[in-house]
C-alpha cells in the first residue's frame, strides 16, 4: 500500500469540499491519502454540515446563532453535525477498503492514533467514553463531545 500526504492551500469552503469529493472519486485503490488544509484568511467564514442534516434546518440554526448573518454553507460527504470553520486546521483521510467498516471504529482508531502522537510530544488528551444512551446529539459538532471524540483532559473537544 502506498501513502500520499497532501497539503493544499487555503480556499473557500466549496473548493475544499469539491477537492475532497474529487480525491475520493479519483483515489487509487492501493493508496491511502491524508490531506491537510486550513481556512486562514478566507472570510466570510463558513459552515459545513453532515450528510444527514437538512439544509433548511442548518441555515435556520446558523442565522439564529450568528444574529441573522448568512454564511456559506456546504454539505460534507460524511456525517456529523455542523462545523463552523474559522481558521482551524482540517484533515481528510481517504483509504482503500475491501469490506464494510464501522464508522465508529474508524473514528475511534483515527482519534486514538492522534492521541498517541500528541502524547509522544507531551500533549495530554483522551478519548471521550462510548455511551450507549445519553443526551441527543447536538446539531453543532463542537458543542459537546460525542463517543470516541478526541478531547483535552477537561473534556473540551480538540
Amino acid at each position: 500500500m502506498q501513502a500520499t500526504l497532501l497539503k493544499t492551500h487555503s480556499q473557500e469552503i466549496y473548493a475544499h469540499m469539491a477537492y475532497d469529493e474529487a480525491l475520493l472519486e479519483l483515489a487509487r485503490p492501493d493508496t491511502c491519502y491524508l490531506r491537510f488544509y486550513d481556512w486562514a484568511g478566507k472570510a466570510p467564514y463558513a459552515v459545513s454540515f453532515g450528510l444527514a442534516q437538512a439544509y433548511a434546518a442548518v441555515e435556520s440554526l446558523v442565522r439564529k446563532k450568528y444574529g441573522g448573518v448568512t454564511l456559506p454553507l456546504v454539505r460534507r460527504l460524511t456525517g456529523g453535525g455542523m462545523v463552523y470553520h474559522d481558521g482551524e486546521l482540517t484533515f481528510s483521510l481517504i483509504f482503500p477498503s475491501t469490506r464494510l467498516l464501522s464508522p465508529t471504529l474508524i473514528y475511534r482508531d483515527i482519534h486514538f492514533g492522534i492521541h498517541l502522537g500528541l502524547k509522544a510530544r507531551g500533549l495530554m488528551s483522551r478519548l471521550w467514553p462510548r455511551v450507549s444512551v445519553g443526551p441527543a446529539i447536538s446539531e453543532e459538532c463542537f458543542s459537546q463531545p460525542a463517543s470516541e471524540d478526541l478531547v483535552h483532559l477537561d473534556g473540551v473537544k480538540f
Side-chain angles (χ1 to χ4, degrees):
M1 168 143 354
Q2 296 181 22
T4 300
L5 179 63
L6 304 166
K7 168 67 172 104
T8 52
H9 300 289
S10 298
Q11 303 175 59
E12 64 183 16
I13 192 166
Y14 306 109
H16 278 313
M17 296 301 109
Y19 194 105
D20 278 347
E21 185 174 355
L23 187 58
L24 178 62
E25 293 294 322
L26 299 171
R28 294 175 45 126
D30 63 344
T31 303
C32 178
Y33 300 87
L34 177 59
R35 179 171 90 96
F36 290 98
Y37 53 98
D38 63 51
W39 309 85
K42 294 296 167 190
Y45 298 126
V47 174
S48 67
F49 58 98
L51 191 61
Q53 291 182 286
Y55 184 93
V58 170
E59 183 178 42
S60 176
L61 285 167
V62 169
R63 284 180 188 249
K64 184 177 181 181
K65 179 166 179 129
Y66 299 106
V69 174
T70 302
L71 297 173
L73 305 175
V74 69
R75 186 181 309 276
R76 291 186 308 278
L77 291 171
T78 60
M82 296 181 339
V83 177
Y84 178 67
H85 300 286
D86 64 353
E88 82 279 1
L89 176 65
T90 303
F91 73 90
S92 60
L93 178 63
I94 297 171
F95 57 92
S97 176
T98 57
R99 59 190 169 94
L100 186 61
L101 300 171
S102 162
T104 302
L105 295 179
I106 294 168
Y107 196 68
R108 183 202 62 206
D109 289 348
I110 290 169
H111 281 173
F112 187 67
I114 295 170
H115 161 74
L116 292 177
L118 291 170
K119 184 177 179 182
R121 285 159 182 78
L123 301 169
M124 302 311 298
S125 65
R126 63 187 176 103
L127 295 182
W128 194 254
R130 198 180 303 186
V131 289
S132 57
V133 177
I137 294 174
S138 170
E139 295 291 327
E140 292 185 70
C141 190
F142 282 88
S143 64
Q144 62 188 21
S147 294
E148 309 300 345
D149 270 342
L150 183 65
V151 297
H152 295 274
L153 293 181
D154 64 3
V156 174
K157 285 180 72 168
F158 268 90

